[in-house]
Amino acid sequence: MRWYPQRTMPNMDVINIQEKFGLFSDHWSPKRIGELNGQQILLAKIQGEFVFHKHDDEDELFMVMKGQLILELRDRTVVVNPGEFYTVPRGVEHKPTAKEETHLLLFEPLDTKHTGDVMADITVETYEEI
Amino acid sequence: MRWYPQRTMPNMDVINIQEKFGLFSDHWSPKRIGELNGQQILLAKIQGEFVFHKHDDEDELFMVMKGQLILELRDRTVVVNPGEFYTVPRGVEHKPTAKEETHLLLFEPLDTKHTGDVMADITVETYEEI
């Protein structure tokens, strides 16, 4: 039996995703809305271009709630529409981009770094819990 | 740095959640549609009453896509509507119930047992990948 870390977030309520999206408006700054088994659930609003980066040890799931996510990989481009998700495997360079404002739900390990192996002006060190 | 298991599912495509729901109709039989970091994403259609059970070592997230999930706990009842999720912490007994057909997205560790500490007629041993 594997061991999964205990939750540290105190929130034991039902979480309404749209309500949480209503609590922030900044782009490229994920907010933590849930935690389980050492993983975190983040919401993010994005528009424009992010930076190419990778996470050497973590797979990262992008679920689109609104808008359209264009995930540039080095060898191809993946388009993710509302109601769809895509998992970027560990070690794979990716650059999230969105033409219109796009709302994402992310699922990844708690210790995943925002811009992975890259440090940029856009990098957020600690995610706010909402 | 923690170590997260490699993915074993070969599917590297964009996953459309509604399309996946269209592929099955049986109740109380989760289907695996994704895997990352030793965790799995399941879809389930439920109606009626499940059995009380718990998972000693795994937290379990229930996201409602359609219908309404009534999660009976021993000390209270949690109601989860579309666009909402609730995380049942490890060790907490819960009994999922739905009056109308309800569509769920589940997030939990790969080795989580369907009915936890309980074996019932309804228990599914291995989840089909779709």
Side-chain angles (χ1 to χ4, degrees):
Chain A
M1 170 59 70
R2 256 176 237 123
W3 178 79
Y4 303 101
Q6 294 277 355
R7 294 166 77 189
T8 58
M9 279 184 79
N11 192 335
M12 283 302 303
D13 297 335
V14 173
I15 303 294
N16 183 297
I17 296 170
Q18 285 314 315
E19 208 175 283
K20 293 293 187 187
F21 271 120
L23 297 178
F24 68 101
S25 56
D26 47 342
H27 291 166
W28 303 113
S29 179
K31 314 299 179 196
R32 186 178 297 125
I33 63 162
E35 179 197 331
L36 70 164
N37 305 305
Q39 317 290 310
Q40 60 188 347
I41 298 152
L42 305 173
L43 296 186
K45 295 183 176 180
I46 67 169
Q47 187 166 19
E49 299 193 6
F50 203 58
V51 290
F52 255 113
H53 67 284
K54 62 185 164 71
H55 309 283
D56 285 330
D57 299 290
E58 298 99 353
D59 310 315
E60 190 172 33
L61 183 149
F62 295 82
M63 188 184 291
V64 175
M65 310 303 282
K66 178 184 149 184
Q68 183 180 69
L69 170 66
I70 298 163
L71 266 175
E72 291 179 47
L73 310 180
R74 287 298 186 189
D75 61 342
R76 65 196 174 109
T77 297
V78 173
V79 178
V80 193
N81 288 305
E84 297 181 338
F85 67 81
Y86 184 77
T87 304
V88 177
R90 60 193 68 187
V92 172
E93 284 187 285
H94 55 286
K95 176 183 165 181
T97 297
K99 286 175 192 162
E100 54 178 318
E101 184 176 88
T102 293
H103 294 186
L104 303 177
L105 184 149
L106 305 172
F107 201 87
E108 59 183 36
L110 268 173
D111 47 10
T112 307
K113 291 201 177 76
H114 189 214
T115 50
D117 59 326
V118 169
M119 183 62 71
D121 289 345
I122 212 167
T123 303
V124 175
E125 301 264 6
T126 311
Y127 299 147
E128 188 186 350
E129 293 183 3
I130 61 171
Chain B
M1 171 61 68
R2 257 176 236 123
W3 178 80
Y4 303 101
Q6 294 277 356
R7 294 165 77 189
T8 58
M9 280 184 80
N11 191 333
M12 283 301 304
D13 296 335
V14 173
I15 303 294
N16 183 297
I17 296 170
Q18 286 314 316
E19 208 175 285
K20 293 292 188 187
F21 271 121
L23 297 178
F24 68 101
S25 56
D26 47 342
H27 291 166
W28 304 113
S29 180
K31 313 300 179 196
R32 186 178 297 124
I33 63 163
E35 180 197 331
L36 70 164
N37 306 305
Q39 317 289 311
Q40 60 187 347
I41 298 153
L42 305 172
L43 296 186
K45 295 184 177 180
I46 67 169
Q47 186 165 20
E49 298 193 7
F50 203 60
V51 290
F52 256 111
H53 67 285
K54 63 184 163 72
H55 309 282
D56 285 330
D57 299 290
E58 299 100 353
D59 311 315
E60 190 172 35
L61 183 149
F62 295 82
M63 188 183 291
V64 175
M65 310 303 282
K66 179 183 148 185
Q68 182 180 70
L69 170 66
I70 298 163
L71 266 175
E72 290 180 49
L73 310 180
R74 287 299 186 189
D75 61 343
R76 65 194 173 110
T77 297
V78 174
V79 178
V80 193
N81 289 303
E84 298 181 337
F85 67 81
Y86 184 78
T87 304
V88 177
R90 59 193 68 185
V92 172
E93 285 187 285
H94 55 286
K95 176 183 166 180
T97 297
K99 286 175 192 162
E100 53 178 316
E101 183 175 89
T102 292
H103 293 186
L104 303 177
L105 183 148
L106 305 171
F107 200 87
E108 60 183 36
L110 267 173
D111 47 10
T112 307
K113 291 201 177 76
H114 188 214
T115 51
D117 59 325
V118 169
M119 183 62 71
D121 289 345
I122 212 167
T123 303
V124 175
E125 300 264 6
T126 311
Y127 299 148
E128 188 187 350
E129 293 182 4
I130 61 172

